[in-house]
Amino acid sequence: MPRLQSISDDWLSAKSAREKQFSLGFFSADYLRFGPVAVVWQEGEIVAFANLWCDESKNEVAIDLMRFGLGAPKRVMEFLSLNTLLWAQ
């Protein structure tokens, strides 16, 4: 969880943004513990993550909060999205 917090902080800083907390997901350790979290590893370190909303029957999955850290590879969000879709399939 500390690494995810660091990634989220880096992402917000790079975007000169702050958490919205009303229209989109937001970083909260309790919030992220609510369901599965997809992560991208590079050289043994998490570089991006997304939390997932799954319905009770596990028939539907949605990506909510997506963040990547400084130094993450280009297109890491596409990689994360596509691999999450493949996992959900």
PDB file of all heavy atoms in Angstrom, residues 34-67:
ATOM      1  N   PHE A  34     -11.171  -2.557  -0.809  1.00  0.00           N
ATOM      2  CA  PHE A  34     -12.540  -2.980  -1.079  1.00  0.00           C
ATOM      3  C   PHE A  34     -12.617  -4.047  -2.173  1.00  0.00           C
ATOM      4  O   PHE A  34     -13.517  -4.875  -2.184  1.00  0.00           O
ATOM      5  CB  PHE A  34     -13.373  -1.756  -1.470  1.00  0.00           C
ATOM      6  CG  PHE A  34     -14.803  -2.047  -1.780  1.00  0.00           C
ATOM      7  CD1 PHE A  34     -15.700  -2.390  -0.774  1.00  0.00           C
ATOM      8  CD2 PHE A  34     -15.269  -1.996  -3.077  1.00  0.00           C
ATOM      9  CE1 PHE A  34     -17.024  -2.665  -1.057  1.00  0.00           C
ATOM     10  CE2 PHE A  34     -16.592  -2.264  -3.374  1.00  0.00           C
ATOM     11  CZ  PHE A  34     -17.467  -2.597  -2.363  1.00  0.00           C
ATOM     12  N   GLY A  35     -11.686  -4.050  -3.116  1.00  0.00           N
ATOM     13  CA  GLY A  35     -11.729  -5.005  -4.218  1.00  0.00           C
ATOM     14  C   GLY A  35     -10.349  -5.255  -4.787  1.00  0.00           C
ATOM     15  O   GLY A  35      -9.348  -4.795  -4.246  1.00  0.00           O
ATOM     16  N   PRO A  36     -10.285  -5.972  -5.901  1.00  0.00           N
ATOM     17  CA  PRO A  36      -8.982  -6.301  -6.493  1.00  0.00           C
ATOM     18  C   PRO A  36      -8.272  -5.067  -7.050  1.00  0.00           C
ATOM     19  O   PRO A  36      -8.897  -4.085  -7.451  1.00  0.00           O
ATOM     20  CB  PRO A  36      -9.332  -7.275  -7.626  1.00  0.00           C
ATOM     21  CG  PRO A  36     -10.788  -7.209  -7.813  1.00  0.00           C
ATOM     22  CD  PRO A  36     -11.402  -6.546  -6.622  1.00  0.00           C
ATOM     23  N   VAL A  37      -6.951  -5.149  -7.041  1.00  0.00           N
ATOM     24  CA  VAL A  37      -6.102  -4.100  -7.604  1.00  0.00           C
ATOM     25  C   VAL A  37      -5.154  -4.758  -8.602  1.00  0.00           C
ATOM     26  O   VAL A  37      -4.460  -5.719  -8.268  1.00  0.00           O
ATOM     27  CB  VAL A  37      -5.291  -3.371  -6.512  1.00  0.00           C
ATOM     28  CG1 VAL A  37      -4.350  -2.343  -7.119  1.00  0.00           C
ATOM     29  CG2 VAL A  37      -6.221  -2.703  -5.502  1.00  0.00           C
ATOM     30  N   ALA A  38      -5.161  -4.268  -9.829  1.00  0.00           N
ATOM     31  CA  ALA A  38      -4.231  -4.741 -10.857  1.00  0.00           C
ATOM     32  C   ALA A  38      -2.960  -3.902 -10.763  1.00  0.00           C
ATOM     33  O   ALA A  38      -3.033  -2.684 -10.556  1.00  0.00           O
ATOM     34  CB  ALA A  38      -4.853  -4.588 -12.247  1.00  0.00           C
ATOM     35  N   VAL A  39      -1.810  -4.529 -10.881  1.00  0.00           N
ATOM     36  CA  VAL A  39      -0.543  -3.804 -10.803  1.00  0.00           C
ATOM     37  C   VAL A  39       0.347  -4.173 -11.982  1.00  0.00           C
ATOM     38  O   VAL A  39       0.243  -5.266 -12.537  1.00  0.00           O
ATOM     39  CB  VAL A  39       0.208  -4.070  -9.484  1.00  0.00           C
ATOM     40  CG1 VAL A  39      -0.588  -3.572  -8.288  1.00  0.00           C
ATOM     41  CG2 VAL A  39       0.549  -5.530  -9.318  1.00  0.00           C
ATOM     42  N   VAL A  40       1.212  -3.247 -12.347  1.00  0.00           N
ATOM     43  CA  VAL A  40       2.250  -3.498 -13.349  1.00  0.00           C
ATOM     44  C   VAL A  40       3.581  -3.448 -12.625  1.00  0.00           C
ATOM     45  O   VAL A  40       3.885  -2.472 -11.935  1.00  0.00           O
ATOM     46  CB  VAL A  40       2.231  -2.436 -14.475  1.00  0.00           C
ATOM     47  CG1 VAL A  40       3.384  -2.670 -15.446  1.00  0.00           C
ATOM     48  CG2 VAL A  40       0.900  -2.446 -15.199  1.00  0.00           C
ATOM     49  N   TRP A  41       4.340  -4.517 -12.795  1.00  0.00           N
ATOM     50  CA  TRP A  41       5.668  -4.615 -12.187  1.00  0.00           C
ATOM     51  C   TRP A  41       6.716  -4.374 -13.262  1.00  0.00           C
ATOM     52  O   TRP A  41       6.571  -4.845 -14.389  1.00  0.00           O
ATOM     53  CB  TRP A  41       5.893  -6.007 -11.618  1.00  0.00           C
ATOM     54  CG  TRP A  41       5.024  -6.357 -10.459  1.00  0.00           C
ATOM     55  CD1 TRP A  41       3.752  -6.853 -10.503  1.00  0.00           C
ATOM     56  CD2 TRP A  41       5.360  -6.244  -9.082  1.00  0.00           C
ATOM     57  NE1 TRP A  41       3.281  -7.046  -9.230  1.00  0.00           N
ATOM     58  CE2 TRP A  41       4.252  -6.687  -8.336  1.00  0.00           C
ATOM     59  CE3 TRP A  41       6.500  -5.814  -8.403  1.00  0.00           C
ATOM     60  CZ2 TRP A  41       4.247  -6.717  -6.952  1.00  0.00           C
ATOM     61  CZ3 TRP A  41       6.488  -5.848  -7.027  1.00  0.00           C
ATOM     62  CH2 TRP A  41       5.377  -6.289  -6.314  1.00  0.00           C
ATOM     63  N   GLN A  42       7.781  -3.681 -12.889  1.00  0.00           N
ATOM     64  CA  GLN A  42       8.941  -3.531 -13.764  1.00  0.00           C
ATOM     65  C   GLN A  42      10.179  -3.648 -12.884  1.00  0.00           C
ATOM     66  O   GLN A  42      10.338  -2.884 -11.921  1.00  0.00           O
ATOM     67  CB  GLN A  42       8.932  -2.188 -14.476  1.00  0.00           C
ATOM     68  CG  GLN A  42      10.093  -2.024 -15.433  1.00  0.00           C
ATOM     69  CD  GLN A  42      10.082  -0.673 -16.116  1.00  0.00           C
ATOM     70  OE1 GLN A  42       9.704   0.323 -15.536  1.00  0.00           O
ATOM     71  NE2 GLN A  42      10.508  -0.662 -17.367  1.00  0.00           N
ATOM     72  N   GLU A  43      10.998  -4.619 -13.207  1.00  0.00           N
ATOM     73  CA  GLU A  43      12.241  -4.861 -12.472  1.00  0.00           C
ATOM     74  C   GLU A  43      11.983  -4.959 -10.963  1.00  0.00           C
ATOM     75  O   GLU A  43      12.693  -4.357 -10.150  1.00  0.00           O
ATOM     76  CB  GLU A  43      13.271  -3.785 -12.790  1.00  0.00           C
ATOM     77  CG  GLU A  43      13.664  -3.778 -14.255  1.00  0.00           C
ATOM     78  CD  GLU A  43      14.656  -2.690 -14.616  1.00  0.00           C
ATOM     79  OE1 GLU A  43      15.185  -2.008 -13.703  1.00  0.00           O
ATOM     80  OE2 GLU A  43      14.907  -2.523 -15.819  1.00  0.00           O
ATOM     81  N   GLY A  44      10.939  -5.694 -10.589  1.00  0.00           N
ATOM     82  CA  GLY A  44      10.652  -5.960  -9.194  1.00  0.00           C
ATOM     83  C   GLY A  44       9.947  -4.851  -8.433  1.00  0.00           C
ATOM     84  O   GLY A  44       9.799  -4.936  -7.217  1.00  0.00           O
ATOM     85  N   GLU A  45       9.514  -3.804  -9.122  1.00  0.00           N
ATOM     86  CA  GLU A  45       8.851  -2.684  -8.460  1.00  0.00           C
ATOM     87  C   GLU A  45       7.533  -2.369  -9.157  1.00  0.00           C
ATOM     88  O   GLU A  45       7.446  -2.410 -10.381  1.00  0.00           O
ATOM     89  CB  GLU A  45       9.753  -1.453  -8.488  1.00  0.00           C
ATOM     90  CG  GLU A  45       9.215  -0.304  -7.680  1.00  0.00           C
ATOM     91  CD  GLU A  45      10.231   0.817  -7.512  1.00  0.00           C
ATOM     92  OE1 GLU A  45      11.440   0.568  -7.548  1.00  0.00           O
ATOM     93  OE2 GLU A  45       9.785   1.966  -7.360  1.00  0.00           O
ATOM     94  N   ILE A  46       6.518  -2.036  -8.379  1.00  0.00           N
ATOM     95  CA  ILE A  46       5.224  -1.635  -8.954  1.00  0.00           C
ATOM     96  C   ILE A  46       5.391  -0.250  -9.567  1.00  0.00           C
ATOM     97  O   ILE A  46       5.899   0.664  -8.923  1.00  0.00           O
ATOM     98  CB  ILE A  46       4.117  -1.621  -7.891  1.00  0.00           C
ATOM     99  CG1 ILE A  46       3.919  -3.021  -7.311  1.00  0.00           C
ATOM    100  CG2 ILE A  46       2.807  -1.100  -8.484  1.00  0.00           C
ATOM    101  CD1 ILE A  46       2.993  -3.073  -6.112  1.00  0.00           C
ATOM    102  N   VAL A  47       4.969  -0.106 -10.837  1.00  0.00           N
ATOM    103  CA  VAL A  47       5.089   1.179 -11.536  1.00  0.00           C
ATOM    104  C   VAL A  47       3.726   1.766 -11.915  1.00  0.00           C
ATOM    105  O   VAL A  47       3.644   2.936 -12.295  1.00  0.00           O
ATOM    106  CB  VAL A  47       5.992   1.078 -12.785  1.00  0.00           C
ATOM    107  CG1 VAL A  47       7.426   0.736 -12.378  1.00  0.00           C
ATOM    108  CG2 VAL A  47       5.455   0.081 -13.791  1.00  0.00           C
ATOM    109  N   ALA A  48       2.672   0.963 -11.824  1.00  0.00           N
ATOM    110  CA  ALA A  48       1.321   1.435 -12.148  1.00  0.00           C
ATOM    111  C   ALA A  48       0.310   0.510 -11.480  1.00  0.00           C
ATOM    112  O   ALA A  48       0.612  -0.645 -11.186  1.00  0.00           O
ATOM    113  CB  ALA A  48       1.099   1.450 -13.657  1.00  0.00           C
ATOM    114  N   PHE A  49      -0.893   1.053 -11.261  1.00  0.00           N
ATOM    115  CA  PHE A  49      -1.953   0.228 -10.678  1.00  0.00           C
ATOM    116  C   PHE A  49      -3.323   0.765 -11.075  1.00  0.00           C
ATOM    117  O   PHE A  49      -3.455   1.905 -11.511  1.00  0.00           O
ATOM    118  CB  PHE A  49      -1.827   0.176  -9.146  1.00  0.00           C
ATOM    119  CG  PHE A  49      -2.196   1.460  -8.448  1.00  0.00           C
ATOM    120  CD1 PHE A  49      -3.496   1.675  -8.009  1.00  0.00           C
ATOM    121  CD2 PHE A  49      -1.251   2.445  -8.232  1.00  0.00           C
ATOM    122  CE1 PHE A  49      -3.846   2.863  -7.371  1.00  0.00           C
ATOM    123  CE2 PHE A  49      -1.584   3.626  -7.585  1.00  0.00           C
ATOM    124  CZ  PHE A  49      -2.884   3.835  -7.157  1.00  0.00           C
ATOM    125  N   ALA A  50      -4.298  -0.099 -10.914  1.00  0.00           N
ATOM    126  CA  ALA A  50      -5.699   0.279 -11.117  1.00  0.00           C
ATOM    127  C   ALA A  50      -6.541  -0.563 -10.172  1.00  0.00           C
ATOM    128  O   ALA A  50      -6.267  -1.749  -9.995  1.00  0.00           O
ATOM    129  CB  ALA A  50      -6.136   0.021 -12.557  1.00  0.00           C
ATOM    130  N   ASN A  51      -7.535   0.058  -9.566  1.00  0.00           N
ATOM    131  CA  ASN A  51      -8.450  -0.765  -8.780  1.00  0.00           C
ATOM    132  C   ASN A  51      -9.624  -1.158  -9.665  1.00  0.00           C
ATOM    133  O   ASN A  51      -9.953  -0.473 -10.629  1.00  0.00           O
ATOM    134  CB  ASN A  51      -8.893  -0.071  -7.483  1.00  0.00           C
ATOM    135  CG  ASN A  51      -9.863   1.052  -7.713  1.00  0.00           C
ATOM    136  OD1 ASN A  51      -9.614   1.954  -8.503  1.00  0.00           O
ATOM    137  ND2 ASN A  51     -10.976   1.013  -7.002  1.00  0.00           N
ATOM    138  N   LEU A  52     -10.207  -2.293  -9.350  1.00  0.00           N
ATOM    139  CA  LEU A  52     -11.263  -2.876 -10.186  1.00  0.00           C
ATOM    140  C   LEU A  52     -12.553  -3.006  -9.399  1.00  0.00           C
ATOM    141  O   LEU A  52     -12.542  -3.344  -8.217  1.00  0.00           O
ATOM    142  CB  LEU A  52     -10.830  -4.262 -10.673  1.00  0.00           C
ATOM    143  CG  LEU A  52      -9.450  -4.337 -11.332  1.00  0.00           C
ATOM    144  CD1 LEU A  52      -9.109  -5.773 -11.675  1.00  0.00           C
ATOM    145  CD2 LEU A  52      -9.385  -3.445 -12.551  1.00  0.00           C
ATOM    146  N   TRP A  53     -13.632  -2.722 -10.061  1.00  0.00           N
ATOM    147  CA  TRP A  53     -14.962  -2.976  -9.509  1.00  0.00           C
ATOM    148  C   TRP A  53     -15.492  -4.238 -10.168  1.00  0.00           C
ATOM    149  O   TRP A  53     -15.594  -4.320 -11.389  1.00  0.00           O
ATOM    150  CB  TRP A  53     -15.902  -1.835  -9.828  1.00  0.00           C
ATOM    151  CG  TRP A  53     -15.696  -0.590  -9.038  1.00  0.00           C
ATOM    152  CD1 TRP A  53     -14.833  -0.394  -8.007  1.00  0.00           C
ATOM    153  CD2 TRP A  53     -16.373   0.647  -9.232  1.00  0.00           C
ATOM    154  NE1 TRP A  53     -14.926   0.883  -7.551  1.00  0.00           N
ATOM    155  CE2 TRP A  53     -15.870   1.557  -8.283  1.00  0.00           C
ATOM    156  CE3 TRP A  53     -17.351   1.065 -10.118  1.00  0.00           C
ATOM    157  CZ2 TRP A  53     -16.315   2.852  -8.188  1.00  0.00           C
ATOM    158  CZ3 TRP A  53     -17.797   2.361 -10.020  1.00  0.00           C
ATOM    159  CH2 TRP A  53     -17.292   3.247  -9.058  1.00  0.00           C
ATOM    160  N   CYS A  54     -15.845  -5.215  -9.361  1.00  0.00           N
ATOM    161  CA  CYS A  54     -16.416  -6.467  -9.869  1.00  0.00           C
ATOM    162  C   CYS A  54     -17.819  -6.614  -9.296  1.00  0.00           C
ATOM    163  O   CYS A  54     -18.042  -6.343  -8.113  1.00  0.00           O
ATOM    164  CB  CYS A  54     -15.581  -7.658  -9.426  1.00  0.00           C
ATOM    165  SG  CYS A  54     -13.863  -7.610  -9.960  1.00  0.00           S
ATOM    166  N   ASP A  55     -18.752  -7.059 -10.151  1.00  0.00           N
ATOM    167  CA  ASP A  55     -20.091  -7.295  -9.613  1.00  0.00           C
ATOM    168  C   ASP A  55     -20.078  -8.584  -8.798  1.00  0.00           C
ATOM    169  O   ASP A  55     -19.120  -9.353  -8.838  1.00  0.00           O
ATOM    170  CB  ASP A  55     -21.145  -7.310 -10.722  1.00  0.00           C
ATOM    171  CG  ASP A  55     -21.067  -8.517 -11.627  1.00  0.00           C
ATOM    172  OD1 ASP A  55     -20.043  -9.223 -11.610  1.00  0.00           O
ATOM    173  OD2 ASP A  55     -22.026  -8.757 -12.366  1.00  0.00           O
ATOM    174  N   GLU A  56     -21.126  -8.794  -8.031  1.00  0.00           N
ATOM    175  CA  GLU A  56     -21.168  -9.945  -7.126  1.00  0.00           C
ATOM    176  C   GLU A  56     -21.035 -11.274  -7.848  1.00  0.00           C
ATOM    177  O   GLU A  56     -20.455 -12.215  -7.325  1.00  0.00           O
ATOM    178  CB  GLU A  56     -22.449  -9.920  -6.298  1.00  0.00           C
ATOM    179  CG  GLU A  56     -22.450  -8.827  -5.263  1.00  0.00           C
ATOM    180  CD  GLU A  56     -23.686  -8.856  -4.393  1.00  0.00           C
ATOM    181  OE1 GLU A  56     -24.299  -9.936  -4.254  1.00  0.00           O
ATOM    182  OE2 GLU A  56     -24.031  -7.798  -3.854  1.00  0.00           O
ATOM    183  N   SER A  57     -21.558 -11.374  -9.055  1.00  0.00           N
ATOM    184  CA  SER A  57     -21.504 -12.635  -9.798  1.00  0.00           C
ATOM    185  C   SER A  57     -20.190 -12.800 -10.559  1.00  0.00           C
ATOM    186  O   SER A  57     -19.978 -13.816 -11.199  1.00  0.00           O
ATOM    187  CB  SER A  57     -22.675 -12.720 -10.773  1.00  0.00           C
ATOM    188  OG  SER A  57     -22.562 -11.691 -11.742  1.00  0.00           O
ATOM    189  N   LYS A  58     -19.326 -11.779 -10.494  1.00  0.00           N
ATOM    190  CA  LYS A  58     -18.034 -11.788 -11.182  1.00  0.00           C
ATOM    191  C   LYS A  58     -18.185 -11.847 -12.702  1.00  0.00           C
ATOM    192  O   LYS A  58     -17.318 -12.326 -13.416  1.00  0.00           O
ATOM    193  CB  LYS A  58     -17.157 -12.956 -10.714  1.00  0.00           C
ATOM    194  CG  LYS A  58     -16.943 -13.021  -9.227  1.00  0.00           C
ATOM    195  CD  LYS A  58     -15.945 -12.034  -8.764  1.00  0.00           C
ATOM    196  CE  LYS A  58     -15.576 -12.312  -7.317  1.00  0.00           C
ATOM    197  NZ  LYS A  58     -15.437 -11.198  -6.497  1.00  0.00           N
ATOM    198  N   ASN A  59     -19.328 -11.365 -13.219  1.00  0.00           N
ATOM    199  CA  ASN A  59     -19.560 -11.332 -14.662  1.00  0.00           C
ATOM    200  C   ASN A  59     -19.158 -10.013 -15.291  1.00  0.00           C
ATOM    201  O   ASN A  59     -19.031  -9.926 -16.506  1.00  0.00           O
ATOM    202  CB  ASN A  59     -21.036 -11.607 -14.976  1.00  0.00           C
ATOM    203  CG  ASN A  59     -21.406 -13.042 -14.704  1.00  0.00           C
ATOM    204  OD1 ASN A  59     -20.610 -13.941 -14.931  1.00  0.00           O
ATOM    205  ND2 ASN A  59     -22.600 -13.261 -14.208  1.00  0.00           N
ATOM    206  N   GLU A  60     -19.027  -8.983 -14.478  1.00  0.00           N
ATOM    207  CA  GLU A  60     -18.662  -7.671 -14.998  1.00  0.00           C
ATOM    208  C   GLU A  60     -17.536  -7.083 -14.171  1.00  0.00           C
ATOM    209  O   GLU A  60     -17.514  -7.223 -12.951  1.00  0.00           O
ATOM    210  CB  GLU A  60     -19.859  -6.723 -14.968  1.00  0.00           C
ATOM    211  CG  GLU A  60     -20.987  -7.160 -15.882  1.00  0.00           C
ATOM    212  CD  GLU A  60     -22.131  -6.174 -15.906  1.00  0.00           C
ATOM    213  OE1 GLU A  60     -21.895  -4.974 -15.641  1.00  0.00           O
ATOM    214  OE2 GLU A  60     -23.254  -6.600 -16.188  1.00  0.00           O
ATOM    215  N   VAL A  61     -16.616  -6.413 -14.872  1.00  0.00           N
ATOM    216  CA  VAL A  61     -15.480  -5.762 -14.225  1.00  0.00           C
ATOM    217  C   VAL A  61     -15.322  -4.378 -14.836  1.00  0.00           C
ATOM    218  O   VAL A  61     -15.452  -4.208 -16.045  1.00  0.00           O
ATOM    219  CB  VAL A  61     -14.175  -6.568 -14.433  1.00  0.00           C
ATOM    220  CG1 VAL A  61     -12.986  -5.839 -13.841  1.00  0.00           C
ATOM    221  CG2 VAL A  61     -14.294  -7.958 -13.839  1.00  0.00           C
ATOM    222  N   ALA A  62     -15.043  -3.410 -13.997  1.00  0.00           N
ATOM    223  CA  ALA A  62     -14.773  -2.056 -14.471  1.00  0.00           C
ATOM    224  C   ALA A  62     -13.488  -1.555 -13.833  1.00  0.00           C
ATOM    225  O   ALA A  62     -13.207  -1.852 -12.665  1.00  0.00           O
ATOM    226  CB  ALA A  62     -15.921  -1.124 -14.124  1.00  0.00           C
ATOM    227  N   ILE A  63     -12.710  -0.823 -14.606  1.00  0.00           N
ATOM    228  CA  ILE A  63     -11.505  -0.181 -14.072  1.00  0.00           C
ATOM    229  C   ILE A  63     -11.930   1.168 -13.513  1.00  0.00           C
ATOM    230  O   ILE A  63     -12.638   1.918 -14.164  1.00  0.00           O
ATOM    231  CB  ILE A  63     -10.449  -0.006 -15.177  1.00  0.00           C
ATOM    232  CG1 ILE A  63      -9.994  -1.370 -15.694  1.00  0.00           C
ATOM    233  CG2 ILE A  63      -9.263   0.803 -14.654  1.00  0.00           C
ATOM    234  CD1 ILE A  63      -9.088  -1.293 -16.905  1.00  0.00           C
ATOM    235  N   ASP A  64     -11.482   1.461 -12.316  1.00  0.00           N
ATOM    236  CA  ASP A  64     -11.839   2.723 -11.680  1.00  0.00           C
ATOM    237  C   ASP A  64     -10.610   3.640 -11.653  1.00  0.00           C
ATOM    238  O   ASP A  64     -10.284   4.264 -12.635  1.00  0.00           O
ATOM    239  CB  ASP A  64     -12.380   2.450 -10.279  1.00  0.00           C
ATOM    240  CG  ASP A  64     -12.865   3.691  -9.567  1.00  0.00           C
ATOM    241  OD1 ASP A  64     -13.328   4.627 -10.236  1.00  0.00           O
ATOM    242  OD2 ASP A  64     -12.778   3.732  -8.331  1.00  0.00           O
ATOM    243  N   LEU A  65      -9.913   3.681 -10.577  1.00  0.00           N
ATOM    244  CA  LEU A  65      -8.757   4.553 -10.398  1.00  0.00           C
ATOM    245  C   LEU A  65      -7.541   3.948 -11.089  1.00  0.00           C
ATOM    246  O   LEU A  65      -7.216   2.786 -10.862  1.00  0.00           O
ATOM    247  CB  LEU A  65      -8.482   4.703  -8.901  1.00  0.00           C
ATOM    248  CG  LEU A  65      -7.285   5.529  -8.483  1.00  0.00           C
ATOM    249  CD1 LEU A  65      -7.544   6.991  -8.758  1.00  0.00           C
ATOM    250  CD2 LEU A  65      -7.003   5.309  -7.011  1.00  0.00           C
ATOM    251  N   MET A  66      -6.894   4.718 -11.953  1.00  0.00           N
ATOM    252  CA  MET A  66      -5.669   4.257 -12.620  1.00  0.00           C
ATOM    253  C   MET A  66      -4.584   5.299 -12.378  1.00  0.00           C
ATOM    254  O   MET A  66      -4.815   6.484 -12.596  1.00  0.00           O
ATOM    255  CB  MET A  66      -5.879   4.096 -14.120  1.00  0.00           C
ATOM    256  CG  MET A  66      -6.842   3.014 -14.498  1.00  0.00           C
ATOM    257  SD  MET A  66      -7.047   2.864 -16.285  1.00  0.00           S
ATOM    258  CE  MET A  66      -5.517   2.077 -16.734  1.00  0.00           C
ATOM    259  N   ARG A  67      -3.422   4.836 -11.959  1.00  0.00           N
ATOM    260  CA  ARG A  67      -2.308   5.742 -11.706  1.00  0.00           C
ATOM    261  C   ARG A  67      -1.006   5.082 -12.126  1.00  0.00           C
ATOM    262  O   ARG A  67      -0.858   3.868 -12.082  1.00  0.00           O
ATOM    263  CB  ARG A  67      -2.224   6.089 -10.204  1.00  0.00           C
ATOM    264  CG  ARG A  67      -3.476   6.737  -9.622  1.00  0.00           C
ATOM    265  CD  ARG A  67      -3.476   8.222  -9.871  1.00  0.00           C
ATOM    266  NE  ARG A  67      -4.762   8.852  -9.691  1.00  0.00           N
ATOM    267  CZ  ARG A  67      -5.182   9.436  -8.575  1.00  0.00           C
ATOM    268  NH1 ARG A  67      -4.438   9.436  -7.505  1.00  0.00           N
ATOM    269  NH2 ARG A  67      -6.361  10.020  -8.553  1.00  0.00           N
TER     270      ARG A  67
END
